Amino acid sequence: MRALPRAVKGASGLRVSAFLVGALGLCVAVAAIGPFDQFIFGEIASIAIVVMGLNVLMGVAGLFSVASAAIVGLGATTALFFIVVSGIPFALAVAITLIAAWILGLLLGLVTLRIAGIYLAIVTFGMVEASSAILESPTAFAGTGFGLEAPAVALPGGGVVTGAEFAVAACALAIIVGVLTTRIVRRRPGRAWRALKAEPASAELAGVHVAWYRGHAFAYRTPLAVLGGIAATKLERYGSDMPQLVR
């Protein structure tokens, strides 16, 4: 009776080891390729982070939201505002922005608790229009209407993160987010989200706290959208310095 659990644990351990080796190999490969390819891999990793959060919200929980683009833009601009205008260090600015994004996502899920389907899409589309008006207006928050210029990421010791290092970090971050998202979806939150997607009323009768899990589906998506937006913005800053991108 004990052989089966050990075999299952052994197979699981092999899968984890194989994944870690593959992930490490990917990061090493990204570090070894040319600047243009590093930029492309970093952009793909940034988009993957956003898509993983969107997949949880729409694919797993079944909540049809079109506000991801607005959240990406507002989140990246907010982080840049803290860094450029307020002079806050990069790591602290990112942490503050992610916490604010989590709160915003939770509130958005609670406010739209009784809205679903196409009506939820219409409400969230309003966020897209509002964000466009905010980001295109010449203000201290959005710059001259064309956005704030992203500075290079400074290290605590006084050094500066290179484009290659940031691309590798973006790929590693996408891998970490993918692992965490997979674990969450396979556990209790994922089962509750799938129940909400199938039939919210039945899920509530079965003991699923609809408001709690709906709010946290939005709260999980929003920081990932912001994180992907920040990574993409920083990569664009490095990309502007690459002669290989001028074609």
Side-chain angles (χ1 to χ4, degrees):
M1 296 296 293
R2 295 181 180 179
L4 181 59
R6 289 178 181 176
V8 172
K9 290 181 180 179
S12 177
L14 287 175
R15 288 196 298 269
V16 172
S17 300
F19 175 81
L20 292 176
V21 171
L24 180 61
L26 175 62
C27 293
V28 172
V30 172
I33 58 181
F36 177 74
D37 294 323
Q38 289 172 342
F39 173 80
I40 296 299
F41 270 97
E43 287 287 326
I44 293 173
S46 303
I47 296 172
I49 293 172
V50 178
V51 170
M52 282 185 277
L54 186 61
N55 180 60
V56 167
L57 183 66
M58 297 182 64
V60 181
L63 299 171
F64 189 25
S65 170
V66 297
S68 292
I71 295 170
V72 168
L74 287 174
T77 304
T78 300
L80 285 179
F81 175 80
F82 287 141
I83 297 170
V84 177
V85 179
S86 301
I88 299 177
F90 174 77
L92 181 58
V94 172
I96 294 173
T97 306
L98 291 179
I99 293 172
W102 186 88
I103 296 173
L104 173 64
L106 184 62
L107 292 176
L108 182 61
L110 296 177
V111 168
T112 60
L113 182 60
R114 299 299 178 184
I115 306 174
I118 188 63
Y119 303 103
L120 178 60
I122 293 172
V123 171
T124 53
F125 182 74
M127 290 188 61
V128 177
E129 293 298 312
S131 67
S132 297
I134 294 172
L135 296 177
E136 293 174 2
S137 301
T139 60
F141 175 74
T144 60
F146 295 96
L148 298 170
E149 183 178 355
V153 179
L155 296 173
V160 176
V161 178
T162 65
E165 293 169 343
F166 198 88
V168 173
C171 292
L173 183 61
I175 293 170
I176 294 172
V177 171
V179 172
L180 292 177
T181 301
T182 301
R183 292 180 65 86
I184 291 173
V185 168
R186 289 181 176 178
R187 293 175 182 269
R188 183 174 181 179
R191 294 192 293 270
W193 287 331
R194 284 189 288 270
L196 290 176
K197 179 182 179 181
E199 183 53 59
S202 300
E204 190 169 12
L205 289 175
V208 175
H209 197 305
V210 175
W212 172 268
Y213 284 105
R214 183 186 174 106
H216 278 77
F218 278 95
Y220 188 79
R221 184 282 306 268
T222 308
L224 292 187
V226 170
L227 189 61
I230 294 173
T233 301
K234 286 295 182 180
L235 283 164
E236 289 291 340
R237 183 257 180 269
Y238 290 114
S240 64
D241 297 333
M242 294 182 186
Q244 291 87 345
L245 297 180
V246 181
R247 300 196 173 189

